[in-house]
Structures are given as structure tokens and as C-alpha cells.
Amino acid sequence: MATQYYYDVSTGEVQELERKGQAKDLMGPYATREEAAHALESARRRTEENDRRDREEEEW
């Protein structure tokens, strides 16, 4: 099985599946260490995109 990576929001660190912290503090899994490191930015972009879609639907 390929290694999975998680972003720990309480520490700001990327963790591997085998050494991950408490589930309540984790974002993931991600396929690569780099994807996990950018978890907050990815979540922000998705949230902004969803907010934009919601506004468009409300204006329709």
C-alpha cells in the first residue's frame, strides 16, 4: 500500500499514516507529502469556489 500523508492542523506538520496524530486534528489523506503540506491552501480555494457557485445560484 502506498504511503498516505496527513496535515496536522494543531502542529502544522505533515505526517505519514503510520505516525499520524489524533483524527480530529488531521486533514487528508493525501497521496503526496507536498499535497498534504498545501492542505490549507487547497481547502481555502475549494471553499472560495463553492462560495462563488453558491452566489451564482442565488442570483439565478
Side-chain angles (χ1 to χ4, degrees), residues 18-55:
E18 298 79 19
R19 297 182 194 93
K20 67 183 173 86
Q22 295 185 33
K24 68 179 184 70
D25 296 327
L26 301 178
M27 295 175 71
Y30 296 92
T32 67
R33 181 173 289 281
E34 184 175 340
E35 287 176 351
H38 297 288
L40 292 177
E41 291 121 18
S42 297
R44 179 187 49 78
R45 281 193 306 272
R46 284 193 305 271
T47 299
E48 288 174 352
E49 178 63 20
N50 287 334
D51 289 348
R52 183 191 62 76
R53 279 193 216 125
D54 288 346
R55 283 191 304 275

Side-chain angles (χ1 to χ4, degrees), residues 6-16 25-26 33 36-37:
Y6 294 82
Y7 180 78
D8 187 323
V9 296
S10 67
T11 64
E13 297 176 347
V14 173
Q15 300 178 350
E16 293 182 11
D25 296 327
L26 301 178
R33 181 173 289 281

